Each structure stands twice: as C-alpha cells, then as structure tokens.
Amino acid sequence: MTTQRQEQDKRYDPADSTLKFVTRQDDITLDDDPDTLRAEMSCGHAVTPQSLTAWCRSLLDQGQYVFRCPALKDGTVQKCEAQWSYQEVRKLAVLTAAEQQHFEETMAALAAAEYCEFKSCPGCHTCVEREDISNLNVHCTVCSAVTAQAFEFCWQCLRVWKGPGPRSDRCGNNGCTNKDLELLKGCPTTSLPQVQNLDPCPSIRACPTCGLLLEHDRTGCKNILCSRCQVEFCFVCLKLTPACLQTSSYFLPCSDGVAPRQEAIPSWKRS
Ligand SMILES: [Zn+2]
Ligand SMILES: [Zn+2]
Ligand SMILES: [Zn+2]
Ligand SMILES: [Zn+2]
Ligand SMILES: [Zn+2]
Ligand SMILES: [Zn+2]
C-alpha cells in the first residue's frame, strides 16, 4: 500500500469512545455525505481525518504552525478560530507516521525560525541578538564602534568576556556557570510508574531538538512533547519518539537503556 493510499483510507475507529461522532456535515469542507463518519473537535466543529489533515497541511504550507479552526460560527460569517493543539490534530486527523514526521519537522523549523533571543549588553545596555546560538562569546557592534575596539561579552554571565572564545559552556569569569547544565547534573532521579521495569531516570531532560529543559509528569508513556519546538522525544533514551519506537515500545524500557545525564544543552539548528 502506498503512502498516498494510506492517507486516503484514513478512517475513525467507530469503537473509539474518546471521540464524539456526528452525522452532520463537515465544517471544513461542507461535505454532507451521510455515510462518512465525522468527529467533533474540541471547539465543537465536525471534521474527517482527510479534511482536518488537508486544512492543517495548508496552514503549514503557509508558514503557520498554530492550528486554528476555519469553520464559521453557527449562522454567522465569523470564523471560529479556536486553537487546536498538535496532539488533538494528530489524533483527529489520524496522522500517519509519514505525516507526523512531516508535521513535526515543519512545526519545529517554523518555530525555530521565529524564535530568537535578545539580551542586554553590559556595556551599552542595548538589545543584542545572538547570531550563533552555540557560542557564548557575543560581539556588541555598538560598544565596539564607541570604543573603537572589539567589545565582547558573555551571554551567560553578562560580563565582559574573559579568556579564549568561542565557547559554548562558560567564559573565564569566576562563577560563570550554566544553570541549565547544573540542573541536569544535580536533579534527582524519577520513575515512570506506567513503564515496566524502568531503571531510575533523571527527572529533568533537555529537549534533544531545541534544548528546553522539561520534566515528565510521570503519567502515560515514556514520550514527552516539547512545549517549545513541538517535537516529541523519549524521556528515557532521548531519541526522537519514532526512532525509539523502532526498537522498543511506549511502555517498555528502551533498547539502549536510560540515557545518562546530559552534559551539554542541545542547541536549536535554525534552518
Ligand atoms: Zn471550530
Ligand atoms: Zn554594547
Ligand atoms: Zn561568562
Ligand atoms: Zn504517550
Ligand atoms: Zn524542544
Ligand atoms: Zn526510548
């Protein structure tokens, strides 16, 4: 079966009691074929796996990674605009593995492109954007112009840069440490009650895609969805969920065991 075929054949499982099924028309396409099983989104509008997939895919194609309902509010010309979470879209669009991969990669790339960091330069207090997010050594063009010599400060301790650069861990100033790394190193271990025979696992992990620190709420499976980049990964082995699932399953230990405490914060690769 080709991927395209799988996408056209996507259907709801009529026995799925977590979905609310309706027989009225599709609120996205207005299709009213009485033999099609449709389900209600959290906002109350009816969709099929195909109409929801097509709509959300078109949003991604336009560079939008926040999914909003395009249906018209009852009897008005006003759009619903309710925001749907990716988890909700993934479930009600019955996204295939290939679609999930496309959605997650596109969402992560769009979020990363929008994301930028500013800090205030200790010399002139103007906002400086960091160009290389893996380098703490940041050059201030304003100070450099004013003093007619290169002015560099540390993105982490916000003092004048000391020692050789570039560096991603710290500068040469006393007490320049990465608080996120300290947390990763010093956090207690945790257990995931629903995962069988799991060895103790650090309670804080850095998202392998964007580096945001995350805690598992200890419910459900091993995987966790990053709130910043929207990419799902395995909290135990730190592989992305599809990679972990190739050799393990949701509630079993990972084939490579518990990944050791992270010693570096992954940095987001902006495309
Ligand atoms: Zn709606
Ligand atoms: Zn400056
Ligand atoms: Zn520093
Ligand atoms: Zn899960
Ligand atoms: Zn992330
Ligand atoms: Zn895993």
Side-chain angles (χ1 to χ4, degrees):
M1 201 191 267
T2 67
T3 315
Q4 191 122 47
R5 193 64 209 281
Q6 276 173 17
E7 287 169 20
Q8 276 162 12
D9 286 352
K10 294 194 301 185
R11 267 180 189 48
Y12 294 127
D13 171 6
D16 186 343
S17 60
T18 64
L19 296 177
K20 185 177 174 198
F21 295 115
V22 293
T23 49
R24 57 167 205 276
Q25 70 171 20
D26 187 311
D27 287 309
I28 298 179
T29 61
L30 307 183
D31 173 65
D32 58 2
D33 173 4
D35 297 328
T36 307
L37 191 59
R38 302 184 186 90
E40 249 182 28
M41 298 297 287
S42 52
C43 60
H45 286 115
V47 301
T48 63
Q50 286 72 24
S51 68
L52 184 59
T53 303
W55 169 248
C56 292
R57 204 186 257 283
S58 75
L59 287 178
L60 288 180
D61 291 345
Q62 296 165 46
Q64 290 183 49
Y65 60 96
V66 175
F67 303 113
R68 290 187 188 281
C69 177
L72 297 181
K73 284 190 195 161
D74 233 0
T76 70
V77 289
Q78 215 186 339
K79 278 192 184 162
C80 167
E81 299 278 7
Q83 190 179 330
W84 302 319
S85 71
Y86 170 63
Q87 287 100 315
E88 180 180 8
V89 167
R90 183 172 63 184
K91 181 170 180 199
L92 278 99
V94 197
L95 294 183
T96 64
E99 286 172 336
Q100 284 184 38
Q101 191 182 355
H102 170 74
F103 270 63
E104 287 167 21
E105 283 174 2
T106 311
M107 289 164 70
L110 291 170
E114 221 173 64
Y115 172 82
C116 58
E117 279 185 303
F118 291 93
K119 281 195 180 170
S120 167
C121 164
C124 62
H125 303 287
T126 59
C127 279
V128 177
E129 186 184 359
R130 183 157 66 147
E131 274 163 25
D132 175 1
I133 54 178
S134 64
N135 183 11
L136 291 174
N137 178 301
V138 178
H139 180 91
C140 175
T141 48
V142 176
C143 287
S144 300
V146 170
T147 62
Q149 51 175 297
F151 183 89
E152 288 168 343
F153 68 94
C154 173
W155 193 257
Q156 184 161 272
C157 67
L158 296 177
R159 287 176 282 181
V160 176
W161 183 266
K162 195 171 169 186
R167 276 179 79 163
S168 60
D169 56 340
R170 59 168 296 178
C171 74
N173 279 311
N174 267 336
C176 179
T177 54
N178 184 324
K179 298 208 173 55
D180 284 358
L181 272 183
E182 312 257 288
L183 268 172
L184 289 175
K185 249 186 261 169
C187 68
T189 57
T190 190
S191 60
L192 304 178
Q194 298 191 44
V195 182
Q196 294 166 31
N197 304 318
L198 182 69
D199 290 329
C201 175
S203 58
I204 301 178
R205 296 294 210 180
C207 166
T209 303
C210 74
L212 181 70
L213 296 201
L214 295 160
E215 275 181 276
H216 197 294
D217 68 5
R218 302 185 67 235
T219 64
C221 71
K222 302 183 291 191
N223 301 306
I224 162 167
L225 188 78
C226 175
S227 54
R228 183 161 70 185
C229 69
Q230 304 283 333
V231 176
E232 191 177 357
F233 67 96
C234 171
F235 201 77
V236 176
C237 71
L238 298 179
K239 291 178 194 166
L240 298 188
T241 297
C244 172
L245 289 178
Q246 278 174 11
T247 55
S248 175
S249 68
Y250 290 93
F251 296 99
L252 291 176
C254 307
S255 57
D256 290 340
V258 179
R261 287 174 187 269
Q262 290 154 290
E263 288 176 356
I265 311 269
S267 57
W268 215 339
K269 285 170 205 69
R270 285 187 248 181
S271 43

